[in-house]
Amino acid sequence: MRNPVQVGALCPSSRGLCRMMVSHVGMESAGVIVELGPGTGVITREIVRKMPENARLIAIELDEALCGLLRQQFPEITVCNDSAAGIGDILKRYSLPNPEVVISGLPWANFTPKLQRSILCSVAEHIAPGGYFATFAYLQGLMFPTGQRFRKLLGEVFSEVQTSPVIWKNLPPAFVYRCRK
């Protein structure tokens, strides 16, 4: 509540939404996974549960305090206190190939069109061929211009955009965008 633009939700994502975020994106065979905006780590927990034992997870979080929390909860992953738009530089820093899966918990509707485009283009540029990008949106967001603009932008940046069924047992109800380049 102290930073509503940076943290886009009042409640953590439900277990159902977390499961939907990591399903049908090739998580089980990924070697490198990037999570954008892990926040308190509710989706991170599901990623860690589903990813292969030898996979590498890079979590990119802008909030320094949340980075500390994530490092305590998940010592086995790499947590970067950085901007999601810097995904390419972060991969280079750790000498990692492009990820097969990018999972995002970023509050897209709170971002300017310029920032949305910058982050999405950076993700599309650095995701492995055939890789997946997954993010979620709140159902009511589709009624607003920012939500409609974001959906259109996904179609401009990625060659394939699919939506999951609505997860009604989430507050508020949400759905997942699964995108491929």
Side-chain angles (χ1 to χ4, degrees):
M1 293 195 50
R2 282 178 276 161
N3 198 343
V5 173
Q6 191 170 327
V7 179
L10 292 175
C11 299
S13 297
S14 70
R15 182 127 190 209
L17 177 56
C18 293
R19 284 181 177 161
M20 189 68 75
M21 287 286 286
V22 302
S23 66
H24 309 294
V25 293
M27 183 70 65
E28 298 81 7
S29 61
V32 177
I33 302 157
V34 173
E35 183 181 15
L36 308 177
T40 59
V42 295
I43 296 173
T44 311
R45 186 169 289 107
E46 195 64 26
I47 294 170
V48 168
R49 193 177 76 70
K50 287 279 275 196
M51 70 186 214
E53 191 174 309
N54 62 342
R56 181 91 182 263
L57 173 57
I58 305 292
I60 304 172
E61 174 57 54
L62 197 56
D63 185 289
E64 194 171 337
L66 290 175
C67 285
L69 177 71
L70 291 163
R71 287 182 185 112
Q72 288 177 351
Q73 288 182 39
F74 306 101
E76 70 275 22
I77 72 170
T78 302
V79 179
C80 299
N81 183 207
D82 212 326
S83 166
I87 186 173
D89 292 335
I90 293 165
L91 291 167
K92 281 182 196 167
R93 184 182 321 149
Y94 293 99
S95 301
L96 291 172
N98 289 341
E100 293 88 356
V101 179
V102 177
I103 303 287
S104 172
L106 294 174
W108 296 102
N110 294 351
F111 295 164
T112 65
K114 183 178 178 183
L115 182 57
Q116 285 181 348
R117 183 172 292 281
S118 171
I119 295 170
L120 283 178
C121 287
S122 187
V123 167
E125 180 182 345
H126 293 98
I127 202 165
Y132 279 94
F133 169 70
T135 191
F136 69 91
Y138 296 121
L139 188 58
Q140 81 276 8
L142 290 177
M143 297 183 299
F144 299 107
T146 54
Q148 294 166 8
R149 180 185 68 231
F150 181 67
R151 171 59 183 95
K152 183 178 180 212
L153 182 59
L154 287 172
E156 292 172 14
V157 174
F158 295 97
S159 56
E160 181 183 322
V161 179
Q162 297 177 341
T163 57
S164 76
V166 173
I167 298 95
W168 294 103
K169 291 184 177 183
N170 192 74
L171 188 62
F175 61 94
V176 174
Y177 287 117
R178 290 186 195 100
C179 310
R180 291 180 97 172
K181 75 170 197 178

